[in-house]
PDB file of all heavy atoms in Angstrom:
ATOM      1  N   GLU A 110     106.346  95.586 103.771  1.00 98.00           N
ATOM      2  CA  GLU A 110     106.813  95.021 105.053  1.00 98.00           C
ATOM      3  C   GLU A 110     105.810  94.024 105.620  1.00 98.00           C
ATOM      4  O   GLU A 110     106.199  92.979 106.136  1.00 98.00           O
ATOM      5  CB  GLU A 110     107.080  96.138 106.076  1.00 98.00           C
ATOM      6  CG  GLU A 110     108.259  97.040 105.728  1.00 98.00           C
ATOM      7  CD  GLU A 110     109.498  96.275 105.300  1.00 98.00           C
ATOM      8  OE1 GLU A 110     109.918  95.353 106.012  1.00 98.00           O
ATOM      9  OE2 GLU A 110     110.044  96.592 104.233  1.00 98.00           O
ATOM     10  N   HIS A 111     104.536  94.346 105.510  1.00 98.00           N
ATOM     11  CA  HIS A 111     103.538  93.423 106.062  1.00 98.00           C
ATOM     12  C   HIS A 111     103.529  92.098 105.308  1.00 98.00           C
ATOM     13  O   HIS A 111     103.363  91.038 105.896  1.00 98.00           O
ATOM     14  CB  HIS A 111     102.153  94.081 106.070  1.00 98.00           C
ATOM     15  CG  HIS A 111     102.044  95.194 107.067  1.00 98.00           C
ATOM     16  ND1 HIS A 111     100.868  95.792 107.402  1.00 98.00           N
ATOM     17  CD2 HIS A 111     102.999  95.810 107.810  1.00 98.00           C
ATOM     18  CE1 HIS A 111     101.093  96.741 108.318  1.00 98.00           C
ATOM     19  NE2 HIS A 111     102.384  96.772 108.564  1.00 98.00           N
ATOM     20  N   TYR A 112     103.741  92.164 104.009  1.00 98.00           N
ATOM     21  CA  TYR A 112     103.848  90.922 103.237  1.00 98.00           C
ATOM     22  C   TYR A 112     105.044  90.103 103.732  1.00 98.00           C
ATOM     23  O   TYR A 112     104.947  88.898 103.980  1.00 98.00           O
ATOM     24  CB  TYR A 112     103.991  91.228 101.737  1.00 98.00           C
ATOM     25  CG  TYR A 112     104.084  89.962 100.927  1.00 98.00           C
ATOM     26  CD1 TYR A 112     102.945  89.208 100.660  1.00 98.00           C
ATOM     27  CD2 TYR A 112     105.314  89.481 100.488  1.00 98.00           C
ATOM     28  CE1 TYR A 112     103.023  88.014  99.968  1.00 98.00           C
ATOM     29  CE2 TYR A 112     105.397  88.289  99.794  1.00 98.00           C
ATOM     30  CZ  TYR A 112     104.260  87.563  99.537  1.00 98.00           C
ATOM     31  OH  TYR A 112     104.335  86.370  98.859  1.00 98.00           O
ATOM     32  N   GLU A 113     106.167  90.798 103.913  1.00 98.00           N
ATOM     33  CA  GLU A 113     107.376  90.100 104.361  1.00 98.00           C
ATOM     34  C   GLU A 113     107.200  89.517 105.763  1.00 98.00           C
ATOM     35  O   GLU A 113     107.646  88.403 106.044  1.00 98.00           O
ATOM     36  CB  GLU A 113     108.565  91.069 104.361  1.00 98.00           C
ATOM     37  CG  GLU A 113     108.966  91.509 102.968  1.00 98.00           C
ATOM     38  CD  GLU A 113     110.163  92.414 103.019  1.00 98.00           C
ATOM     39  OE1 GLU A 113     110.064  93.544 103.534  1.00 98.00           O
ATOM     40  OE2 GLU A 113     111.231  91.992 102.541  1.00 98.00           O
ATOM     41  N   ILE A 114     106.574  90.300 106.641  1.00 98.00           N
ATOM     42  CA  ILE A 114     106.361  89.819 108.010  1.00 98.00           C
ATOM     43  C   ILE A 114     105.498  88.556 107.988  1.00 98.00           C
ATOM     44  O   ILE A 114     105.783  87.581 108.694  1.00 98.00           O
ATOM     45  CB  ILE A 114     105.735  90.934 108.887  1.00 98.00           C
ATOM     46  CG1 ILE A 114     106.773  92.040 109.142  1.00 98.00           C
ATOM     47  CG2 ILE A 114     105.222  90.365 110.215  1.00 98.00           C
ATOM     48  CD1 ILE A 114     106.189  93.349 109.700  1.00 98.00           C
ATOM     49  N   ALA A 115     104.477  88.549 107.150  1.00 98.00           N
ATOM     50  CA  ALA A 115     103.624  87.357 107.038  1.00 98.00           C
ATOM     51  C   ALA A 115     104.443  86.150 106.582  1.00 98.00           C
ATOM     52  O   ALA A 115     104.369  85.058 107.156  1.00 98.00           O
ATOM     53  CB  ALA A 115     102.478  87.618 106.061  1.00 98.00           C
ATOM     54  N   ARG A 116     105.247  86.349 105.552  1.00 98.00           N
ATOM     55  CA  ARG A 116     106.040  85.238 104.996  1.00 98.00           C
ATOM     56  C   ARG A 116     107.100  84.729 105.985  1.00 98.00           C
ATOM     57  O   ARG A 116     107.250  83.529 106.190  1.00 98.00           O
ATOM     58  CB  ARG A 116     106.716  85.676 103.690  1.00 98.00           C
ATOM     59  CG  ARG A 116     105.781  85.718 102.517  1.00 98.00           C
ATOM     60  CD  ARG A 116     105.361  84.303 102.185  1.00 98.00           C
ATOM     61  NE  ARG A 116     104.452  84.267 101.058  1.00 98.00           N
ATOM     62  CZ  ARG A 116     103.199  83.813 101.134  1.00 98.00           C
ATOM     63  NH1 ARG A 116     102.709  83.383 102.272  1.00 98.00           N
ATOM     64  NH2 ARG A 116     102.443  83.778 100.060  1.00 98.00           N
ATOM     65  N   TYR A 117     107.863  85.670 106.562  1.00 98.00           N
ATOM     66  CA  TYR A 117     108.930  85.239 107.476  1.00 98.00           C
ATOM     67  C   TYR A 117     108.364  84.639 108.763  1.00 98.00           C
ATOM     68  O   TYR A 117     108.946  83.712 109.326  1.00 98.00           O
ATOM     69  CB  TYR A 117     109.884  86.397 107.795  1.00 98.00           C
ATOM     70  CG  TYR A 117     110.870  86.666 106.679  1.00 98.00           C
ATOM     71  CD1 TYR A 117     110.761  87.788 105.870  1.00 98.00           C
ATOM     72  CD2 TYR A 117     111.907  85.763 106.426  1.00 98.00           C
ATOM     73  CE1 TYR A 117     111.656  88.020 104.836  1.00 98.00           C
ATOM     74  CE2 TYR A 117     112.807  85.986 105.397  1.00 98.00           C
ATOM     75  CZ  TYR A 117     112.679  87.119 104.607  1.00 98.00           C
ATOM     76  OH  TYR A 117     113.564  87.333 103.584  1.00 98.00           O
ATOM     77  N   GLY A 118     107.206  85.161 109.206  1.00 98.00           N
ATOM     78  CA  GLY A 118     106.577  84.601 110.405  1.00 98.00           C
ATOM     79  C   GLY A 118     106.197  83.147 110.171  1.00 98.00           C
ATOM     80  O   GLY A 118     106.467  82.266 111.003  1.00 98.00           O
ATOM     81  N   THR A 119     105.604  82.890 109.007  1.00 98.00           N
ATOM     82  CA  THR A 119     105.208  81.529 108.651  1.00 98.00           C
ATOM     83  C   THR A 119     106.421  80.617 108.482  1.00 98.00           C
ATOM     84  O   THR A 119     106.460  79.509 109.023  1.00 98.00           O
ATOM     85  CB  THR A 119     104.406  81.566 107.326  1.00 98.00           C
ATOM     86  OG1 THR A 119     103.226  82.340 107.548  1.00 98.00           O
ATOM     87  CG2 THR A 119     104.029  80.189 106.869  1.00 98.00           C
ATOM     88  N   LEU A 120     107.407  81.105 107.738  1.00 98.00           N
ATOM     89  CA  LEU A 120     108.605  80.279 107.503  1.00 98.00           C
ATOM     90  C   LEU A 120     109.299  79.927 108.809  1.00 98.00           C
ATOM     91  O   LEU A 120     109.756  78.798 109.008  1.00 98.00           O
ATOM     92  CB  LEU A 120     109.584  81.019 106.579  1.00 98.00           C
ATOM     93  CG  LEU A 120     109.259  80.964 105.085  1.00 98.00           C
ATOM     94  CD1 LEU A 120     110.111  81.983 104.331  1.00 98.00           C
ATOM     95  CD2 LEU A 120     109.486  79.559 104.525  1.00 98.00           C
ATOM     96  N   LYS A 121     109.358  80.899 109.707  1.00 98.00           N
ATOM     97  CA  LYS A 121     110.009  80.645 110.992  1.00 98.00           C
ATOM     98  C   LYS A 121     109.237  79.569 111.757  1.00 98.00           C
ATOM     99  O   LYS A 121     109.837  78.632 112.299  1.00 98.00           O
ATOM    100  CB  LYS A 121     110.080  81.943 111.810  1.00 98.00           C
ATOM    101  CG  LYS A 121     110.755  81.764 113.153  1.00 98.00           C
ATOM    102  CD  LYS A 121     110.551  82.985 114.040  1.00 98.00           C
ATOM    103  CE  LYS A 121     110.740  82.622 115.496  1.00 98.00           C
ATOM    104  NZ  LYS A 121     110.429  83.757 116.388  1.00 98.00           N
ATOM    105  N   SER A 122     107.920  79.676 111.780  1.00 98.00           N
ATOM    106  CA  SER A 122     107.167  78.694 112.567  1.00 98.00           C
ATOM    107  C   SER A 122     107.251  77.299 111.930  1.00 98.00           C
ATOM    108  O   SER A 122     107.303  76.294 112.633  1.00 98.00           O
ATOM    109  CB  SER A 122     105.741  79.184 112.838  1.00 98.00           C
ATOM    110  OG  SER A 122     104.829  78.594 111.980  1.00 98.00           O
ATOM    111  N   TRP A 123     107.300  77.231 110.606  1.00 98.00           N
ATOM    112  CA  TRP A 123     107.495  75.921 109.962  1.00 98.00           C
ATOM    113  C   TRP A 123     108.883  75.369 110.267  1.00 98.00           C
ATOM    114  O   TRP A 123     109.048  74.166 110.477  1.00 98.00           O
ATOM    115  CB  TRP A 123     107.293  76.035 108.453  1.00 98.00           C
ATOM    116  CG  TRP A 123     105.858  76.206 108.055  1.00 98.00           C
ATOM    117  CD1 TRP A 123     104.751  75.951 108.823  1.00 98.00           C
ATOM    118  CD2 TRP A 123     105.359  76.668 106.786  1.00 98.00           C
ATOM    119  NE1 TRP A 123     103.612  76.239 108.116  1.00 98.00           N
ATOM    120  CE2 TRP A 123     103.949  76.672 106.876  1.00 98.00           C
ATOM    121  CE3 TRP A 123     105.970  77.080 105.601  1.00 98.00           C
ATOM    122  CZ2 TRP A 123     103.136  77.065 105.793  1.00 98.00           C
ATOM    123  CZ3 TRP A 123     105.169  77.472 104.528  1.00 98.00           C
ATOM    124  CH2 TRP A 123     103.774  77.457 104.636  1.00 98.00           C
ATOM    125  N   ALA A 124     109.881  76.255 110.267  1.00 98.00           N
ATOM    126  CA  ALA A 124     111.244  75.799 110.560  1.00 98.00           C
ATOM    127  C   ALA A 124     111.314  75.233 111.973  1.00 98.00           C
ATOM    128  O   ALA A 124     112.000  74.238 112.229  1.00 98.00           O
ATOM    129  CB  ALA A 124     112.241  76.955 110.375  1.00 98.00           C
ATOM    130  N   VAL A 125     110.562  75.852 112.899  1.00 98.00           N
ATOM    131  CA  VAL A 125     110.496  75.325 114.271  1.00 98.00           C
ATOM    132  C   VAL A 125     109.899  73.921 114.232  1.00 98.00           C
ATOM    133  O   VAL A 125     110.457  72.966 114.785  1.00 98.00           O
ATOM    134  CB  VAL A 125     109.644  76.252 115.196  1.00 98.00           C
ATOM    135  CG1 VAL A 125     109.373  75.584 116.537  1.00 98.00           C
ATOM    136  CG2 VAL A 125     110.338  77.602 115.395  1.00 98.00           C
TER     137      VAL A 125
END
Side-chain angles (χ1 to χ4, degrees):
E110 293 313 309
H111 290 190
Y112 181 77
E113 293 182 293
I114 290 166
R116 283 292 180 242
Y117 282 108
T119 298
L120 280 167
K121 181 192 158 185
S122 101
W123 287 343
V125 170

